[in-house]
Amino acid sequence: LALLKFQGAPKSQPCDVPIPFCAFNGGNDCWVDIGNKLIGVRILQDMLGAKAPNTLHVGDQFLSTGNDLSTRTACCTCWIINPEETQRILTELESILNNDN
C-alpha cells in the first residue's frame, strides 16, 4: 500500500511496480482497464482509516477474472447485475444501518 501513496513517493521506473490490467471484448467494443478496483479500495480504506471488516464493495462480476474479483482480498464484496439491484442493496443497507443506531 505504501507504493500507492502519491505524496512524497520516490519516482519509479515503469518496471518497478507491476500494475494489474484487464482486457475485455464486449462483442461490439473492447477496452483495457489499467489497474483494478483493489487498488482503489485500498487507497480509500487508507484515506478513510477503514478496516476490511468495515468495508463493503458493491460491484459487478462478469467473469471469474476481472476488475472486481480482486477486491475480495481487501473487503467483503456484494455482486450486483444492474443499477436497480445496486439501489435495492443500498436501500437494504441503509435500513440495517439505521436500525443499529
Side-chain angles (χ1 to χ4, degrees), residues 37 57-62 67-69 78-82:
K37 290 182 184 172
H57 169 255
V58 179
D60 55 7
Q61 180 187 6
F62 296 114
N67 206 3
D68 288 284
L69 187 66
C78 180
W79 300 122
I80 53 96
I81 57 172
N82 58 42

Side-chain angles (χ1 to χ4, degrees), residues 10-31:
K11 294 195 184 251
S12 64
Q13 298 299 315
C15 61
D16 289 348
V17 180
I19 299 197
F21 67 92
C22 299
F24 297 91
N25 179 350
N28 293 327
D29 59 354
C30 63
W31 63 93

